[in-house]
Amino acid sequence: GFITLVPHKEAIVAHLDPADIRQIYLMRAELEALSAREAARIVTDSDLADLHAINNELARVETASDPDIRHLRRVDLDFHRRLRRISHMPLLITTLDNLADQGEGYRARLLDTHFLVVPTANRHRSIISALERRDADAAAAAMHLHVKEGLDAFTDLLNRG
């Protein structure tokens, strides 16, 4: 949906739709929270080690002398994908992967180019901490807040005109 094909002419970048951005992020916030809640109930030490390793990679990339935003985004996406899979809820995972993919085009065109809500390891620490405590409600709340920060950044940027 990020490219509009005009028959026999060209492909053009589709316009940004604030209503679509809002819908994607609101749905993601609720469903990512559900995923984190379910993950907290069944997370293993091995799962936590994987999340720590991905988050450590994110910290390494973000502290490089010239951090590459595309690499940061890939590692951030890896973190979220890994966390979703811990929930063992295939329909939820597929839905969230789809929503995240839909949001990536908007993110790349707006947030990343303005360096707003740049992925950082620190943004994941409260989620990991809640998972380590097997605190389902805290994991859900931390994840909801984490995704909502993205929506807030989009809203602020779009309101600036």
Side-chain angles (χ1 to χ4, degrees):
F2 298 109
I3 301 293
T4 301
L5 299 175
V6 179
H8 310 291
K9 288 190 180 183
E10 61 191 343
I12 58 172
V13 176
H15 78 284
L16 294 169
D17 187 336
D20 285 351
I21 294 170
R22 184 173 183 275
Q23 280 187 73
I24 289 167
Y25 272 80
L26 288 175
M27 290 188 308
R28 269 198 62 219
E30 296 299 323
L31 295 176
E32 294 274 14
L34 171 61
S35 177
R37 178 179 288 110
E38 292 300 310
R41 293 184 174 130
I42 58 175
V43 67
T44 67
D45 290 343
S46 176
D47 295 328
L48 289 167
D50 289 349
L51 292 173
H52 276 290
I54 296 167
N55 212 43
N56 290 341
E57 171 65 7
L58 185 58
R60 186 192 67 72
V61 174
E62 77 178 87
T63 58
S65 60
D66 187 20
D68 177 354
I69 190 70
R70 289 180 309 240
H71 191 177
L72 283 168
R73 291 294 308 136
R74 277 192 303 273
V75 177
D76 185 60
L77 287 169
D78 289 346
F79 178 87
H80 284 270
R81 284 188 187 111
R82 179 65 182 99
L83 179 50
R84 287 179 202 131
R85 276 140 187 82
I86 295 169
S87 73
H88 296 288
M89 298 181 72
L91 296 175
L92 178 60
I93 293 165
T94 300
T95 301
L96 280 167
D97 286 349
N98 182 279
L99 286 171
D101 288 346
Q102 289 179 54
E104 280 307 297
Y106 291 117
R107 181 174 187 86
R109 287 169 60 193
L110 285 178
L111 298 186
D112 291 351
T113 57
H114 291 85
F115 294 96
L116 299 172
V117 191
V118 173
T120 67
N122 192 49
R123 292 182 191 279
H124 296 151
R125 288 196 176 108
S126 61
I127 300 164
I128 293 172
S129 177
L131 292 169
E132 288 173 329
R133 296 187 317 272
R134 278 50 175 193
D135 185 336
D137 290 336
M143 180 58 82
H144 192 277
L145 178 63
H146 178 62
V147 175
K148 187 85 170 44
E149 287 175 343
L151 175 59
D152 292 344
F154 270 120
T155 302
D156 289 347
L157 182 60
L158 292 172
N159 286 339
R160 286 187 222 162

